[in-house]
Amino acid sequence: MGGNKCKYQIIIVGVGNYIMGDDGVGIHLIKELESKKIPPDVSLIDAGTAPINYLKEISLSKEVIAIDAIYGGKSPGTIYRLCLDDLKKSTNPDLHGFSLFDVIKMGQSMTGYPHKITIYGIEPERITLGTKLSKSVQKAVMKVKKIIEEKLSPHI
């Protein structure tokens, strides 16, 4: 990767399988944000089910904000806000190969970045074939979108 030069202040990573209903929540949120004015030091990434493909971008970013479906045992549409320490405690296997946690740790070992990690997990209602989100998850997407827009507002 060469040097520890940071390319992005913030990257926003959507993780999930777009054609499996609520599992595609991260991708849906990225698509929502793509319609907004995004500052040049912020990058939107549709990582799909392979966050490992974005190791370079993650390892050159000061901050990562990720969105994914997370089973936490609460009602559908519940929003979980996790940091890297929360992920270290997790024993849930990742269904997408290398987990986002694995990719972040690899990036940190290579470049020292990212310094800050926030994951917004949304409790899915249904993981079935199709590209539509359930109503409860769609409402949660809009709430997380607003949170992220507020975070980005000083950068615009």
Side-chain angles (χ1 to χ4, degrees):
M1 301 265 160
N4 286 359
K5 187 174 182 201
C6 183
K7 184 174 180 179
Y8 301 107
Q9 279 296 111
I10 301 171
I11 62 168
I12 303 168
V13 182
V15 181
N17 188 336
Y18 185 75
I19 64 167
M20 290 302 295
D22 291 344
D23 186 51
V25 67
I27 312 313
H28 282 273
L29 187 54
I30 293 297
K31 290 185 181 309
E32 287 284 336
L33 291 170
E34 285 174 344
S35 67
K36 300 294 180 187
K37 182 181 177 190
I38 301 297
D41 64 345
V42 175
S43 179
L44 301 176
I45 295 176
D46 170 350
T49 58
I52 188 68
N53 292 339
Y54 299 93
L55 174 60
K56 181 177 181 180
E57 290 84 351
I58 290 169
S59 69
L60 295 175
S61 303
K62 287 186 180 177
E63 181 175 355
V64 172
I65 300 171
I67 305 91
D68 197 0
I70 294 180
Y71 284 109
K74 296 190 178 178
S75 59
T78 298
I79 299 169
Y80 305 97
R81 186 179 184 277
L82 308 168
C83 64
L84 191 57
D85 287 340
D86 296 319
L87 292 178
K88 288 177 185 175
K89 297 174 198 169
S90 173
T91 57
N92 292 338
D94 186 84
L95 301 177
H96 309 306
F98 279 101
S99 72
L100 182 61
F101 170 73
D102 295 333
V103 175
I104 289 169
K105 291 304 290 173
M106 281 187 260
Q108 287 177 326
S109 70
M110 292 169 21
T111 65
Y113 292 114
H115 293 168
K116 184 174 180 186
I117 297 101
T118 305
I119 292 96
Y120 290 99
I122 298 176
E123 184 84 36
E125 183 173 322
R126 62 176 184 263
I127 306 290
T128 56
L129 193 58
T131 59
K132 287 195 170 197
L133 296 176
S134 62
K135 287 183 181 178
S136 59
V137 169
Q138 181 61 41
K139 286 180 186 176
V141 164
M142 300 319 283
K143 288 179 185 174
V144 174
K145 177 184 170 197
K146 185 175 180 180
I147 292 167
I148 291 172
E149 288 173 342
E150 288 172 4
K151 169 136 181 94
L152 295 181
S153 65
H155 295 269
I156 296 176

